Amino acid sequence: KAAEEELRVSEEQYCRLYETMAQGVVYQDAKGAVLSANPAAQRILGLSLERLQSMTSMDPDWRSIREDGSPLEGPDHPSMVALRTGKPFGPVTIGVFQPKLNEHVWISINAIPLFHPGETEPYQVYTTFQDVTGEYIANQQYQLLFREMVDGFALHEMIWDEQGKPMDYRFLAVNPAFERMTGL
């Protein structure tokens, strides 16, 4: 009875965590069909559990894209890569079309294959992801500003000696205007 009660409490804790966490979680079978998705996944993806369960990672309705804007085809979806290789995959940032917003949301996603004891082929995969749209857009805007600004800009880091005195520096990034101005 004590073991049964401990198991029940553990299951309740797992369910509470799964249902209330901010990170999206999706479980898929070995063919990529969605088995379950927590409420955060449904909210981030803008799809009901029923709609998600009617899809696989191969479904073109995802309209997923890579960071460079090129299409992310089903076989290259992180969950399919993890199933194919039998190894965890990610984190990787992808854009997923969100129908409620009628635009892509950007997610940082990890895929982890699951194995039955003693087997080498995964029977399931789960993905965890978070919405990084705000950070992604801010980074894109920063990159555009960095590339297009008229003034030269160089980002560098200082190299300090053992006494804490600056002794050198190295460039981490320069914009095109800096390159034009300096010839470097």
Side-chain angles (χ1 to χ4, degrees), residues 67 133-145 147:
E67 287 188 87
T133 303
E135 295 91 337
Y136 180 83
I137 290 171
N139 185 51
Q140 293 299 318
Q141 291 171 338
Y142 168 78
Q143 292 297 328
L144 178 64
L145 175 64
R147 283 191 313 272

Side-chain angles (χ1 to χ4, degrees), residues 155-174:
L155 178 64
H156 65 274
E157 74 176 341
M158 296 300 300
I159 300 171
W160 308 89
D161 67 13
E162 293 169 0
Q163 287 76 39
K165 294 181 183 175
M167 55 182 254
D168 205 350
Y169 63 93
R170 91 174 125 229
F171 288 102
L172 300 174
V174 297

Side-chain angles (χ1 to χ4, degrees), residues 62-97:
W62 285 113
R63 294 167 46 188
S64 298
I65 56 174
R66 300 173 195 278
E67 287 188 87
D68 66 5
S70 64
L72 178 72
E73 303 297 334
D76 296 327
H77 186 281
S79 62
M80 299 309 289
V81 173
L83 284 167
R84 184 172 56 252
T85 64
K87 296 180 180 171
F89 184 77
V92 63
T93 300
I94 64 172
V96 179
F97 186 76

Side-chain angles (χ1 to χ4, degrees), residues 42-47 63 96-107 131 133-134 137:
Q42 296 169 52
R43 177 183 45 75
I44 293 168
L45 299 173
L47 298 169
R63 294 167 46 188
V96 179
F97 186 76
Q98 214 263 32
K100 288 183 179 176
L101 299 175
N102 198 33
E103 62 186 32
H104 282 86
V105 293
W106 292 92
I107 61 174
D131 186 341
T133 303
I137 290 171

